[in-house]
């Protein structure tokens, strides 16, 4: 039973436009959410996170939105750049736990 | 910079062989994790460890065991490799005192093929 779901396996956008990656979770005990980015032949690297007490966190071109009632979060990348092309994983954990649960990932392709 | 290294980038083994995947981190992190990454399934947690000589089962521990004799090293063992264990294996570490974010730092992965 996957507790974190990314239902879009791939997304393609034009350079300069907005990329929106979505993530849903089922466990209401999760209270911290992270996005990781993974290039081929490399391990995932941390991108941005959000606590459940917030509904938005912004870091440069990256913004994560959290809708707790819908158990949904999204990552917005504006403007998208070709270097953003990678697989993006959504992850969630409970505050007092060190282990996380990951989604299946979304492959983003940004076309020049 | 935190560095997590994995002993091999690519590994080919035969069915029934015993396989050791080694992971070392250099930032004195308490927590270490082993995942496998498969298409359409994302990263699934196999085992993790909060301290030396302790281990906890993740979501898919069957067919695997782990060893943590030293704080910096976490080994994943496939006692008798099978073809359904062909996958990308990722090791990660994190610091218990890392605050609310407590992100995990990943190694580059080992692509294991079992023939």
């Amino acid at each position: 039973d996957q507790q974190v779901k990314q239902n879009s396996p791939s997304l393609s956008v034009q350079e300069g436009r907005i990329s929106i990656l979505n993530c849903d979770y089922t466990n209401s005990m999760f209270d911290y959410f992270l996005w990781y980015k993974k290039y081929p032949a490399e391990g995932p690297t941390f991108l941005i996170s959000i606590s459940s007490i917030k509904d938005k966190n912004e870091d440069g071109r990256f913004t994560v939105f959290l809708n707790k009632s819908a158990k949904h979060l999204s990552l917005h990348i504006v403007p998208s750049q070709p270097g953003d092309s990678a697989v993006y994983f959504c992850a969630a954990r409970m505050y007092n736990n060190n282990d996380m649960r990951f989604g299946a990932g979304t492959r983003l392709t940004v076309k020049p | 910079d935190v560095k997590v290294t994995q002993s091999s980038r690519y590994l080919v083994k035969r069915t029934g062989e015993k396989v050791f995947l080694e992971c070392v981190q250099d930032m004195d992190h308490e927590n270490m994790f082993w995942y496998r990454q498969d298409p359409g399934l994302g990263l699934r947690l196999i085992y993790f460890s909060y301290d030396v000589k302790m281990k906890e089962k993740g979501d898919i521990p069957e067919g695997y065991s782990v060893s943590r004799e030293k704080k910096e090293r976490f080994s994943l063992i496939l006692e008798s490799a099978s073809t359904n264990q062909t996958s990308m294996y990722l090791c990660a570490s994190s610091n218990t005192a890392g605050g609310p974010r407590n992100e995990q730092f990943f190694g580059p992965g080992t692509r294991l093929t079992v023939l």
Side-chain angles (χ1 to χ4, degrees):
Chain A
D1 177 32
Q2 254 187 317
Q3 300 180 58
V4 179
K5 299 178 183 179
Q6 294 175 256
N7 292 319
S8 298
S10 63
L11 174 68
S12 181
V13 300
Q14 208 65 38
E15 181 179 7
R17 306 295 289 269
I18 184 171
S19 296
I20 300 176
L21 295 91
N22 293 303
C23 177
D24 297 291
Y25 61 97
T26 57
N27 189 341
S28 58
M29 299 296 290
F30 288 143
D31 48 21
Y32 212 85
F33 305 90
L34 303 90
W35 285 93
Y36 280 77
K37 178 178 178 179
K38 185 181 185 301
Y39 292 117
E42 295 182 13
T45 54
F46 170 78
L47 184 60
I48 191 170
S49 63
I50 188 167
S51 163
S52 60
I53 61 173
K54 295 187 174 182
D55 54 18
K56 177 183 175 181
N57 188 26
E58 192 172 352
D59 184 2
R61 296 185 297 113
F62 303 91
T63 303
V64 57
F65 295 92
L66 175 63
N67 182 335
K68 274 193 75 175
S69 60
K71 295 192 181 70
H72 177 84
L73 62 155
S74 60
L75 174 67
H76 293 210
I77 307 174
V78 182
S80 301
Q81 299 174 354
D84 296 329
S85 297
V87 177
Y88 290 79
F89 290 101
C90 172
R93 66 177 186 85
M94 289 175 265
Y95 184 80
N96 58 350
N97 280 11
N98 289 301
D99 55 300
M100 291 193 292
R101 296 299 181 272
F102 286 80
T106 297
R107 181 178 300 279
L108 172 66
T109 303
V110 181
K111 298 179 179 177
Chain B
D1 274 355
V2 174
K3 197 166 185 182
V4 180
T5 56
Q6 295 183 229
S7 52
S8 305
R9 296 300 300 269
Y10 300 94
L11 211 50
V12 180
K13 296 292 181 180
R14 297 216 172 267
T15 300
E17 278 193 79
K18 190 168 186 176
V19 182
F20 292 87
L21 302 182
E22 305 285 344
C23 175
V24 177
Q25 50 93 5
D26 66 359
M27 286 301 292
D28 203 35
H29 283 172
E30 292 86 1
N31 311 310
M32 296 188 75
F33 307 84
W34 274 106
Y35 296 88
R36 60 178 284 178
Q37 181 194 357
D38 299 289
L41 297 174
L43 276 68
R44 292 181 292 166
L45 183 63
I46 305 171
Y47 267 98
F48 57 102
S49 168
Y50 291 153
D51 202 351
V52 175
K53 294 194 186 294
M54 73 82 53
K55 59 186 178 184
E56 293 282 346
K57 291 181 180 179
D59 296 327
I60 51 163
E62 296 78 18
Y64 303 94
S65 62
V66 290
S67 172
R68 192 159 181 208
E69 296 296 318
K70 293 185 178 181
K71 190 176 185 180
E72 67 271 18
R73 188 179 297 269
F74 192 35
S75 303
L76 180 69
I77 303 154
L78 288 66
E79 294 289 341
S80 177
S82 63
T83 55
N84 63 11
Q85 292 178 309
T86 291
S87 187
M88 170 69 83
Y89 289 88
L90 291 159
C91 175
S93 72
S94 72
N95 187 350
T96 300
R101 193 172 87 185
N102 200 13
E103 68 194 80
Q104 293 182 14
F105 296 86
F106 283 84
T110 295
R111 183 163 293 284
L112 172 66
T113 301
V114 183
L115 302 176

